[in-house]
Amino acid sequence: MSMFDKNTELTSGSSDEMSNLDIYLGLTTDERIFIPGVYENGLITICGSSSYKSYLMESWDIFKPKKIIPIALTAWGDLIYVEAGSQVTQMFFMQKHKGIEIDISPHEFIVYILRNEEEGEEFLQTSKFRRVLNKCGPLTYGNCYIHEPWQLWNVSESIGNWTMGDNSVYIDLVGQTWPQRDKALEAMKKAGKEGRAPKIKVSISE
């Protein structure tokens, strides 16, 4: 059975696939906690074992040589995961290149941020999600919302610049881009310029 309550809607996914979390916990199909798929139109995606492998973050230097278990993804492609052999829940924010440790189990954390408004706003950005959902439509399994240009280039966000794309491809490309960004900043410092990403003006209005 699902650990979600009856008000949490599975909007896209497959009930035939086991989630990474259930496999990690050694559960059977009858004992599983989460059905892989998209919940609440994409607010969070539970990672299935055939769709999200341990090499999801292989393009990120910070994750080498770690072996991770992808548990869930937010609408923005941010990852909730555990490391193999570890009991520590972690969340990684792609556009900030920042990770945090969570002091409760991954399934407890997911349920907590879905059920509590303040924490949902902090970790899932629920208010922004509703606006982007209205513009782009609901997410399907395997996709996330992507802002163009990416926020790592120090852009100002605009609802009109959000689109939908493959989250695995997105994560891989962002991981490849961070070293390029860092090299650009280092070159700017050596040239005597301010060491931060150049701000890109966005012309598309909300």
Side-chain angles (χ1 to χ4, degrees):
M1 65 177 185
S2 172
M3 196 172 194
F4 289 133
D5 60 33
K6 63 182 180 180
N7 296 318
T8 305
E9 183 183 7
L10 174 67
T11 49
S12 174
S14 173
S15 60
D16 298 326
E17 186 180 9
M18 286 283 285
S19 74
N20 283 330
L21 176 59
D22 294 330
I23 294 173
Y24 173 69
L25 295 175
L27 302 180
T28 66
T29 301
D30 292 335
E31 297 170 326
R32 62 184 175 173
I33 296 173
F34 291 126
I35 297 173
V38 171
Y39 288 81
E40 298 299 312
N41 293 312
L43 187 60
I44 201 159
T45 292
I46 301 302
C47 297
S49 57
S50 64
S51 307
Y52 297 95
K53 307 288 188 180
S54 61
Y55 52 74
L56 177 67
M57 302 292 288
E58 67 179 354
S59 69
W60 293 74
D61 291 342
I62 194 174
F63 281 88
K64 297 175 182 177
K66 300 176 183 178
K67 183 178 180 181
I68 68 159
I69 301 172
I71 301 298
L73 289 160
T74 72
W76 324 109
D78 298 324
L79 178 66
I80 299 168
Y81 70 99
V82 293
E83 288 185 39
S86 170
Q87 301 296 321
V88 180
T89 307
Q90 301 190 59
M91 186 169 185
F92 190 80
F93 302 89
M94 304 296 165
Q95 292 295 325
K96 295 180 180 179
H97 202 286
K98 175 185 177 182
I100 58 172
E101 290 190 358
I102 309 297
D103 61 2
I104 54 177
S105 67
H107 48 285
E108 289 174 324
F109 177 61
I110 293 166
V111 170
Y112 185 67
I113 59 179
L114 283 172
R115 291 180 178 174
N116 292 275
E117 184 176 352
E118 184 175 345
E119 285 72 23
E121 189 65 43
E122 178 180 357
F123 294 102
L124 301 175
Q125 301 179 69
T126 50
S127 296
K128 183 172 74 174
F129 172 80
R130 287 190 287 267
R131 298 194 299 272
V132 177
L133 173 65
N134 186 59
K135 187 263 181 185
C136 297
L139 289 169
T140 54
Y141 188 59
N143 289 321
C144 64
Y145 294 132
I146 302 169
H147 190 276
E148 296 289 352
W150 295 341
Q151 299 97 317
L152 64 82
W153 292 114
N154 195 33
V155 301
S156 298
E157 285 190 20
S158 168
I159 295 300
N161 286 64
W162 285 97
T163 187
M164 192 185 304
D166 184 287
N167 49 23
S168 294
V169 173
Y170 163 74
I171 289 170
D172 181 61
L173 291 175
V174 174
Q176 294 180 48
T177 301
W178 270 104
Q180 300 172 24
R181 177 189 182 273
D182 293 342
K183 287 179 181 178
L185 294 184
E186 186 62 28
M188 290 173 66
K189 288 181 181 179
K190 289 181 179 179
K193 298 180 180 179
E194 188 175 0
R196 61 189 178 118
K199 187 158 185 173
I200 300 173
K201 291 185 179 180
V202 179
S203 59
I204 301 176
S205 59
E206 295 188 14

